[in-house]
Amino acid sequence: MKVLLLNGSPHKDGAVAEGLKEAQGVFEQKGIDTLWIHIGNRAIRGCNACEKCYGKGRCVYEDKANEVIDAMKDCDGIIIGSPVYYAGINGSLKSLLDRVFNAGSDVFKYKAASCIVNARRAGTTAAYDDINKYFGISGMVISPSRYWNMTHGNSAEEVIQDEEGMGTVRVIANSMSWLLKVLEDGKRKYGIPERYPVKGTNFIR
Ligand SMILES: Cc1cc2nc3c(=O)[nH]c(=O)nc-3n(C[C@H](O)[C@H](O)[C@H](O)COP(=O)(O)O)c2cc1C
């Protein structure tokens, strides 16, 4: 079993990475592999709504978006970490996730999902909402947690001092370790739900 740890901060070893490392420690104890992808500090373009990804499962722009989609084919779960910027997620991460989930939502279905948002001080619950919306629309199974998935600190050194936040991270990784086994057993026993027909209407009438 493998979990993708997506660091959505431009800082490779900052506060967000520190939270993800804490989760990695729990996964190691549980015998679960991890794979890291760092969003980096280069420009990441947003979705241009060309719709060429539909039915192909890939974005026309060969960059980090397809790297995440490809990595996820081999993973059973994902934890997305983001710094809070203006009470939302990092703009580069938003650009990436719009394209990843628009092009590749099939590789996420019925897999385990969780997030960790980190702020110096405020805006965490709004950022937490931002990420969970990608999971919900893509048929992912959100891992149980305690409190909401947030840590506080402006640097790796500071976030280590957020004992409660780091405790929440360990709970997330521990419960995802459990959820991965539940999903594996459940899929073997019951498969996945059949595609249930829903009529798409672009406005309410
Ligand atoms: C453009 C920008 C906007 C920010 N907005 C907020 C904010 O709304 N609330 C907050 O508490 N911290 C804010 N911060 C601080 C970051 O959340 C914090 O530095 C970051 O989470 C640290 O994680 P990192 O070391 O992994 O980058 C902002 C930082 C930047 C650069």
Side-chain angles (χ1 to χ4, degrees), residues 116-131:
I116 303 166
V117 297
N118 180 80
R120 185 188 70 80
R121 195 165 182 84
T124 43
T125 51
Y128 173 75
D129 286 350
D130 285 345
I131 300 180

Side-chain angles (χ1 to χ4, degrees), residues 84-85 87 117-125 150-154 158:
V84 173
Y85 286 178
V117 297
N118 180 80
R120 185 188 70 80
R121 195 165 182 84
T124 43
T125 51
M150 63 179 73
T151 54
H152 287 90
N154 215 24
E158 281 187 8

Side-chain angles (χ1 to χ4, degrees), residues 19 102 107 111 134:
N102 206 34
V107 299
K111 291 183 179 175
Y134 292 100

Side-chain angles (χ1 to χ4, degrees), residues 124-146:
T124 43
T125 51
Y128 173 75
D129 286 350
D130 285 345
I131 300 180
N132 281 323
K133 284 170 192 153
Y134 292 100
F135 300 153
I137 201 168
S138 305
M140 300 198 80
V141 185
I142 297 174
S143 270
S145 183
R146 64 177 286 283

